[in-house]
Amino acid sequence: MSIDYNKPFVGHYIEFFEIILTDLGGAHHHFAPSVDYDEVTGATSAFLFAGMSYEPIPIKLTGVVSTTSGAPSTPTLTISNIHKRLMSDIQLYDGLVGAKVVRHRTFSEYVGASQEMQIQNFLISQMLKIDREQVVFKLNIPIDFEGTKLPFRVVLKDDGFPGVSRNGSRAA
Amino acid sequence: MADELPLINKIAQTSSHKIRENVIGVSYGNGYEQRTVVGENQQADSWSLNYLVLDEVEREVLLSFWRDKGNHDSFTWTAFGDLFEKTWLISGNYSETALSGELFKVAFSIIQVFEL
């Protein structure tokens, strides 16, 4: 895939998503904002990637910015609410707070080979808005949670850190 | 099975066809450009259909079809020059002109949609 980065055109840019509610006790949704369209026969079918069928629904992720300073970005995920697809889940699982969102990205030429760019993981931190047309969620990257601790122990100023000396000599 | 566009033999040759595609491109420096189409269903046809001389029965068939489909329900049609039927949605208003007491001119636009 990387060898094609220099080409002027490498197919349609495609995004598709997973919304994973299994940790909350719910379902594992696969959503894509498009359907597969056969330009020879005109037939349509659900978008397929790596053997998985993605349900077509208007869905978009915006505000994904990588930065080395300041607060991490908080993207927003917008999903159509025209057919109330997620309403029951939203009511059952507290606005889907804590649900995992996986963003997949690829180009149409690589769909058949199931090749994609590195996936991006997010967690739903808040439901920002719900109306007749859409549901908007605020997302966090998984490490952007206040109070989150590194596994096993908390690094404290007074205790120092193994291998780090405050007086110039290494602790035994 | 979606309904079919009625009275296709009455569509006038003044009808027009357009294709749109949403492409984003970047060209910096000395002008080398890279392009992509965002999404799979971004190349869609549209037609402005004209029915020039319809009698009252034909006009009623078309009007009933429009009232049934509105701007919300899709239908199928094999457009002129196409080899297979596509799925369409009426876009915008139904427009008709009375040419005489019994003859009518009708026009409306349709856009291609992608549905399962």
Side-chain angles (χ1 to χ4, degrees), chain A residues 9 90 106 131 152 156 166:
Chain A
F9 183 76
I90 287 169
T106 189
D131 59 25
F152 305 119
L156 298 175
R166 285 172 291 161

Side-chain angles (χ1 to χ4, degrees), chain A residues 36-54:
Chain A
D36 277 343
Y37 177 67
D38 189 327
E39 294 182 359
V40 177
T41 65
T44 55
S45 56
F47 176 73
L48 280 173
F49 189 84
M52 184 59 65
S53 175
Y54 285 78

Side-chain angles (χ1 to χ4, degrees), chain A residues 5-6 8 11-13 35 40 44, chain B residues 32 34-37 39 41 115:
Chain A
Y5 283 155
N6 292 330
H12 294 219
Y13 173 79
V35 295
V40 177
T44 55
Chain B
Y32 182 75
Q34 291 187 319
R35 297 173 296 277
T36 190
V37 181
N41 308 140
E115 300 176 343

Side-chain angles (χ1 to χ4, degrees), chain A residues 5-14 34-37 39-42 44-46 56 107-108, chain B residues 21 23 32-43 83-87 112-116:
Chain A
Y5 283 155
N6 292 330
K7 289 183 179 176
F9 183 76
V10 290
H12 294 219
Y13 173 79
I14 300 169
S34 57
V35 295
D36 277 343
Y37 177 67
E39 294 182 359
V40 177
T41 65
T44 55
S45 56
F107 288 96
S108 52
Chain B
E21 185 179 64
V23 177
Y32 182 75
E33 184 179 74
Q34 291 187 319
R35 297 173 296 277
T36 190
V37 181
V38 178
E40 275 278 66
N41 308 140
Q42 292 288 9
Q43 197 174 66
L83 298 175
F84 51 84
E85 66 179 19
K86 294 175 180 172
T87 307
Q112 185 186 4
V113 291
F114 302 90
E115 300 176 343
L116 290 183

Side-chain angles (χ1 to χ4, degrees), chain B residues 39-58:
Chain B
E40 275 278 66
N41 308 140
Q42 292 288 9
Q43 197 174 66
D45 293 13
S46 64
W47 277 88
S48 292
L49 299 178
N50 296 321
Y51 295 80
L52 287 185
V53 184
L54 298 181
D55 61 30
E56 286 182 329
V57 173
E58 293 166 335

